[in-house]
Amino acid sequence: MYGPQIKGVLPGDNARKILANDEKYLSPSYTREYPLVVKRTQDIWVEDVDGNIFLDFTAGIGVCNTGNNNEEIKKTIIEQLDNYIHFALGDFYNDKAPLLAEKLCYLTPGQFDKKVFFTNSGTESVEASLKLARYYTKRPRILGFIGAFHGRTMGSLAITSSKSTQRKHFSPLIGDVTHVPYPYCYRCPYKLSYPQCNFWCVKIIEEVYFKRLCPPEDVACCIVEPIQGEGGYIVPPDGYFDELTKVLKKYDILLVCDEVQSGIGRTGKMFASEHWNLVPDIVCLAKALANGLPLGAIVGNKKYYTWVKGSHNNTYGGNALAVVAALKTIELVQNKYMENAKNMGDYILTIAKKWVEEYEFLGDVRGKGLMIGLEFVKDKQTKEEATKLRNTIVYKCFEKGLLLLPCGESVIRFSPPLSISKSAVDIALSIFKDVLNTVKRNFSM
Ligand SMILES: Cc1ncc(COP(=O)(O)O)c(C=O)c1O
């Protein structure tokens, strides 16, 4: 049978035992949405420990872009295992890292010489980008966005502002960070409409923030997600980044694009910045870069790499297994999956946008490629967030064998592996629609 197979009540018996052990020994800070205990994965399919089969619309939270446990990547990793697993790139040279660095310099936007620093995760890439920007500019301040998610280590967390739980009790974080509103047109903080707003959300940076709060000569960089991820899969309007870069250039403020979630083909282009011809000074990468092995990178204009030997380093960054996996991932994404992401994304968007008319609780559908968000509201006029309803939909889909994840206050993200076929998309959409119809009956009662 082609499709999810759920054998009974979830979680099953085997899952229950593992969940009990997990609860006993693992940190309560993890953010599990439902009790899925994974045993095996293959492409878009996930088998749990009780033999239930799920259709993956999460890609392991934006990681397994070429499909879960991709066979070609597995083969590449196994070949590398015969040579060596690890020999610290920070203290020696290895034969693979420069190949990936060269590829990333070539692929990232901007026709100028670049350099790469390898990390192990998204938050570590963000930390490295902030340190590089401060080191080069010798300026202390950082400009970030409300709703942003850049990670949870102290530096990144100082800019992260998607949920206050992520910050509560962790102060003091690094200081000198100024947050400005993100161009969230569906919920414009200034209650304006695009394009009549004339990009007030950019103008206010100069006219208010820089004048009264944050001297622009003190700002090292502005860090932005080209599409805000954890904040709610929010797509800025066309023209926004042109306006923003004009302001940043005027004050020699570096532009750091956090493509940790939106990069590596997810949006139908290798990097989401490319949708707006945006050329960042530094790009942060992680998540899908090595399709599941821990690897991150920052790629930046060569002229900013003024930091000296010993000023920044790590033990695992550029690990050989992760690097070969990344080289293969990029090849596969370039050759086939990026185009599929665009085609499947357009297909889903066309269908899901029609649902906005059909369901009174679906307020907005937006996205690019396979980074699609559906925002649920209690009322289309007030736009009050329907968080409980959104959570119910996510859980009901899980019970029917469709894996989804929430983001923002009341958004569901569609972010399947980029390898997904049209028939699998149809299965997912049909399960999702069934669930929407079920909740619709209760919603109108
Ligand atoms: C845009 C963005 N930046 C940074 C991070 C942090 O990545 P990590 O969890 O690997 O530290 C994430 C994770 O979701 C992210 O979406």
Side-chain angles (χ1 to χ4, degrees):
M1 185 188 144
Y2 185 76
Q5 294 172 40
I6 304 301
K7 295 174 168 173
V9 177
L10 297 173
D13 290 345
N14 294 331
R16 274 177 205 282
K17 285 182 207 137
I18 294 166
L19 291 169
N21 222 22
D22 187 289
E23 192 177 344
K24 197 163 164 196
Y25 293 112
L26 278 154
S27 163
S29 60
Y30 292 116
T31 52
R32 282 73 172 262
E33 297 298 329
Y34 38 77
L36 170 74
V37 183
V38 176
K39 180 178 175 194
R40 203 174 8 227
T41 65
Q42 193 194 352
D43 194 19
I44 52 164
W45 303 108
V46 176
E47 183 182 343
D48 80 354
V49 286
D50 293 289
N52 297 300
I53 311 282
F54 298 84
L55 174 47
D56 178 21
F57 243 45
T58 73
I61 195 147
V63 169
C64 302
N65 279 10
T66 70
N68 293 286
N69 217 13
N70 180 291
E71 283 300 326
E72 286 185 70
I73 293 174
K74 211 160 84 185
K75 219 171 111 219
T76 309
I77 294 169
I78 291 167
E79 273 165 25
Q80 178 59 32
L81 271 175
D82 282 338
N83 296 325
Y84 62 101
I85 296 175
H86 169 81
F87 217 89
L89 180 71
D91 296 274
F92 305 92
Y93 298 89
N94 85 34
D95 65 340
K96 298 292 183 323
L99 300 177
L100 179 59
E102 184 181 2
K103 186 130 247 173
L104 292 174
C105 289
Y106 171 75
L107 284 175
T108 45
Q111 304 289 315
F112 40 76
D113 289 343
K114 297 173 197 148
K115 277 182 175 285
V116 172
F117 177 83
F118 286 116
T119 72
N120 307 284
S121 65
T123 197
E124 204 199 328
S125 293
V126 168
E127 298 277 348
S129 73
L130 302 181
K131 284 180 75 177
L132 185 64
R134 274 186 167 178
Y135 197 100
Y136 170 77
T137 60
K138 301 192 176 53
R139 296 174 173 189
R141 298 196 73 95
I142 294 150
L143 200 62
F145 287 85
I146 308 271
F149 188 87
H150 297 294
R152 297 167 189 270
T153 50
M154 290 297 191
S156 308
L157 185 58
I159 336 244
T160 287
S161 65
S162 78
K163 292 189 181 70
S164 57
T165 356
Q166 292 154 352
R167 301 176 133 235
K168 193 173 162 187
H169 301 320
F170 294 127
S171 287
L173 306 170
I174 63 162
D176 295 332
V177 178
T178 301
H179 290 88
V180 296
Y182 195 77
Y184 190 176
C185 295
Y186 182 65
R187 295 181 184 280
C188 175
Y190 305 107
K191 310 281 180 241
L192 297 171
S193 303
Y194 171 81
Q196 294 80 358
C197 61
N198 210 9
F199 298 108
W200 174 241
C201 56
V202 178
K203 293 199 167 58
I204 198 173
I205 296 176
E206 213 179 355
E207 290 183 22
V208 178
Y209 287 87
F210 284 177
K211 262 194 198 151
R212 314 212 173 276
L213 187 66
C214 168
E217 300 76 15
D218 282 357
V219 180
C221 67
C222 168
I223 178 161
V224 65
E225 295 159 89
I227 294 178
Q228 210 171 63
E230 303 304 303
Y233 275 30
I234 303 162
V235 185
D238 290 344
Y240 174 80
F241 286 115
D242 295 333
E243 297 300 312
L244 181 69
T245 42
K246 264 187 239 161
V247 175
L248 301 181
K249 281 206 167 90
K250 187 166 161 191
Y251 298 100
D252 292 325
I253 296 169
L254 303 194
L255 173 67
V256 177
C257 278
D258 181 344
E259 294 257 14
V260 166
Q261 187 158 172
S262 58
I264 319 297
R266 165 73 33 210
T267 67
K269 293 193 185 277
M270 190 53 84
F271 303 102
S273 320
E274 295 173 59
H275 288 286
W276 299 281
N277 298 318
L278 182 60
V279 180
D281 294 300
I282 304 171
V283 181
C284 300
L285 301 172
K287 280 196 185 284
L289 180 57
N291 211 61
L293 285 188
L295 181 69
I298 58 165
V299 189
N301 192 318
K302 185 179 170 179
K303 71 180 178 196
Y304 303 133
Y305 280 80
T306 51
W307 56 18
V308 296
K309 185 170 174 172
S311 52
H312 195 57
N313 200 356
N314 59 20
T315 298
Y316 283 124
N319 166 275
L321 291 186
V323 165
V324 295
L327 282 163
K328 184 50 86 178
T329 300
I330 289 170
E331 182 192 317
L332 294 171
V333 167
Q334 265 186 313
N335 291 349
K336 46 183 171 176
Y337 296 132
M338 201 155 76
E339 196 186 342
N340 192 53
K342 184 190 172 337
N343 294 339
M344 290 303 105
D346 288 350
Y347 177 65
I348 295 173
L349 276 172
T350 310
I351 294 171
K353 281 189 174 188
K354 289 189 194 137
W355 295 344
V356 177
E357 305 302 315
E358 205 176 322
Y359 298 99
E360 56 198 300
F361 46 76
L362 183 57
D364 193 29
V365 171
R366 56 193 175 237
K368 291 213 180 274
L370 288 172
M371 189 167 185
I372 295 173
L374 295 88
E375 178 150 354
F376 292 86
V377 290
K378 289 185 182 166
D379 179 305
K380 282 193 180 168
Q381 291 307 313
T382 64
K383 298 184 181 173
E384 192 186 339
E385 288 107 340
T387 309
K388 234 171 105 185
L389 177 81
R390 183 272 311 269
N391 295 345
T392 304
I393 294 170
V394 169
Y395 203 93
K396 282 188 180 300
C397 284
F398 163 65
E399 289 177 321
K400 287 176 175 281
L402 176 63
L403 302 179
L404 295 168
L405 280 170
C407 58
E409 283 301 310
S410 61
V411 179
I412 289 177
R413 54 182 126 184
F414 284 177
S415 56
L418 313 185
S419 54
I420 196 157
S421 64
K422 183 169 169 298
S423 51
V425 166
D426 285 336
I427 293 171
L429 296 187
S430 133
I431 295 173
F432 193 76
K433 192 139 193 311
D434 271 359
V435 170
L436 291 187
N437 288 336
T438 310
V439 296
K440 184 179 177 174
R441 283 194 291 276
N442 299 333
F443 190 78
S444 38
M445 275 193 310

